[in-house]
């Protein structure tokens, strides 16, 4: 084994080890509204379920030189966000939304995505997604960082409404093949669903 001390190497090297090790990562496409009403959208692969009861999701938004990204700033300011699951049909457009735009420009318009009204929150979602989860911000935690400024905003979001495309839902279960989720690997690589296999859980 090669032993590596994260404190003895740069941020970039630690980043490469982490994004190459924790694979494949599901991708959340997160929409938020700025205080001025601009609809913001960006993908995040530091994304997971925190709890199913209550239904909580986590999205970790890295800061740049201590500065919050628009997604974190908007979610904290408005208390709302919509989380979408990225799939094979929308990944190319969603990749476009990762561009570094000023807060008054909408990535949604630039990527040719269609805003669609939500039922339980003020933030619209996008129509090009088979799963939309309308969320309220449960907690935002400022974590890590050096020199007194945090390195990341961990958003904990509570799902208040699921919006699921009819064709992927059967008996309350999501059909993974029909969803065709896409995940993030290292570098600019993405991956689609591989072969599925089943292992019985022991009693
Ligand atoms: C597939 C993909 C996954 C990403 N995952 C993350 C992530 O987990 N955390 C993060 O801070 N940035 C991530 N990024 C970069 C953000 O999407 C990018 O910084 C974006 O411009 C942030 O937008 P905002 O400033 O509108 O919030 C990812 C980018 C791509 C293309």
């Amino acid at each position: 084994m090669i032993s590596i001390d994260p404190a003895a190497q740069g941020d970039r090297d630690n980043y490469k080890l982490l994004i190459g090790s924790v694979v494949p990562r599901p991708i959340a496409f997160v929409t938020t509204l700025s205080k001025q009403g601009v609809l913001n959208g960006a993908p995040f692969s530091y994304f997971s379920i925190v709890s199913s009861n209550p239904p909580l999701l986590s999205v970790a938004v890295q800061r740049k030189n201590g500065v919050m990204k628009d997604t974190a700033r908007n979610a904290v300011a408005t208390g709302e966000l919509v989380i979408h699951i990225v799939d094979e049909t929308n990944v190319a457009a969603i990749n476009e939304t990762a561009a570094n735009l000023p807060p008054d420009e909408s990535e949604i318009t630039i990527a040719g995505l269609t805003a669609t009204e939500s039922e339980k929150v003020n933030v619209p979602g996008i129509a090009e997604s088979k799963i939309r989860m309308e969320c309220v911000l449960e907690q935002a935690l400022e974590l890590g960082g050096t020199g007194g400024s945090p390195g990341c905003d961990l958003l904990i979001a509570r799902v208040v409404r699921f919006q699921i495309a009819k064709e992927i839902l059967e008996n309350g279960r999501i059909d993974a093949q029909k969803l065709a989720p896409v995940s993030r690997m290292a570098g600019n690589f993405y991956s689609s669903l591989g072969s599925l296999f089943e292992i019985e859980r022991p009693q």
Side-chain angles (χ1 to χ4, degrees), residues 40 42-46 60 62 69-71 95 98-99 107 184 190:
N40 187 89
F44 295 92
S45 70
Y46 301 178
Q62 204 72 54
K69 290 186 182 177
D70 296 340
T71 299
N95 183 57
E107 293 89 356
R184 184 83 198 271
Y190 289 92

